[in-house]
Amino acid sequence: MLANIVFQFFLKGGPVMWPLLFCALAAVAVVGERAFWWCRESIKRDLPRREKLLAALEHSDIEQSEKLAQGSEDPVIRMVRQSLNHEHTSIPVALQMAAGIELERAGRFLNVLDTLVTLAPLLGLLGTVTGLMRAFLKVGSAELSVTAVTGGIVEALIATACGLLIAIVSLVPLNYFSGKLARLQFELETAASNVEVLANAVKLNRAEVP
């Protein structure tokens, strides 16, 4: 019964409801995937090991640092491990490349969600225009009826409401995931700066040793 009501409501929204349905499904898929990814990523965080790793680097204990970094799925530790294992690039370049990989993983599909937030209201506006055009065309028709005119207006209102609803519901998780991404970027940049400073200190200590 409820499904039939929803389906009839969907049909009254006009042809533009089909691309809006696609936008809604895409938004649900992206939000679900990103929520699962961030939940899984939060479990991988290992702050105690991260502190031990930075402490080992501070004491110029590269061997211990590599042991601590092995096997960890923490994104910051993964970045440090990549920089410690660099062979053909400098430490800053290795850190930048590793951080870029982590940020690319964290920001996956956010551009899709951002596009949907903008696209859905525009599709709703398109439905508004087509619905009102249909209503005014009925006004000029010889077969004028209240049902025909109000049908176009209802189409316009449904399409607008659905477009705005999709955008509003998608905007909240978009801002949330963007905030998580910004926080991760800050953590990576902070850790990278520490690693660079500690690596330079290790080089100076080695150079001073006769």
Side-chain angles (χ1 to χ4, degrees):
M1 183 65 179
L2 180 61
N4 187 46
I5 294 175
V6 173
F7 183 69
Q8 293 299 323
F9 182 84
F10 177 84
L11 293 179
K12 289 180 180 179
V16 79
M17 292 298 290
W18 291 103
L20 283 174
L21 176 62
F22 173 79
C23 289
L25 295 176
V28 170
V30 171
V31 171
E33 191 275 340
R34 286 292 86 190
F36 175 77
W37 190 89
W38 279 109
C39 287
R40 186 180 61 181
E41 202 69 14
S42 63
I43 299 175
K44 297 177 181 178
R45 294 300 179 92
D46 194 349
L47 295 179
R49 182 184 289 197
R50 189 190 305 178
E51 294 297 328
K52 292 179 181 178
L53 174 61
L54 294 177
L57 287 172
E58 186 175 359
H59 290 86
S60 305
D61 193 345
I62 302 298
E63 183 178 353
Q64 179 65 16
S65 300
E66 292 177 348
K67 289 181 179 179
L68 288 170
Q70 289 298 326
S72 177
E73 293 297 326
D74 186 294
V76 176
I77 298 178
R78 282 200 303 254
M79 179 194 69
V80 176
R81 183 172 67 239
Q82 291 295 328
S83 66
L84 292 176
N85 295 332
H86 76 285
E87 297 179 355
H88 306 292
T89 58
S90 62
I91 288 182
V93 174
L95 286 169
Q96 185 177 4
M97 292 175 60
I101 293 173
E102 297 297 335
L103 292 175
E104 184 178 2
R105 291 173 180 170
R108 188 182 181 192
F109 297 134
L110 287 188
N111 57 337
V112 175
L113 198 59
D114 187 28
T115 301
L116 293 175
V117 169
T118 305
L119 180 61
L122 293 177
L123 288 174
L125 181 60
L126 177 63
T128 302
V129 174
T130 57
L132 293 178
M133 287 176 60
R134 185 172 302 179
F136 281 112
L137 288 175
K138 293 296 182 181
V139 171
S141 174
E143 300 177 356
L144 176 62
S145 66
V146 176
T147 304
V149 175
T150 55
I153 298 176
V154 169
E155 176 183 333
L157 294 176
I158 291 176
T160 303
C162 289
L164 290 175
L165 181 62
I166 293 171
I168 292 171
V169 172
S170 301
L171 182 61
V172 175
L174 173 62
N175 287 336
Y176 175 75
F177 294 140
S178 297
K180 298 278 284 185
L181 178 62
R183 176 61 184 174
L184 177 60
Q185 182 177 3
F186 173 77
E187 292 179 359
L188 291 172
E189 290 177 350
T190 302
S193 299
N194 290 336
V195 171
E196 287 186 38
V197 171
L198 296 175
N200 291 331
V202 170
K203 289 182 180 179
L204 290 175
N205 290 336
R206 289 178 177 176
E208 292 176 357
V209 176

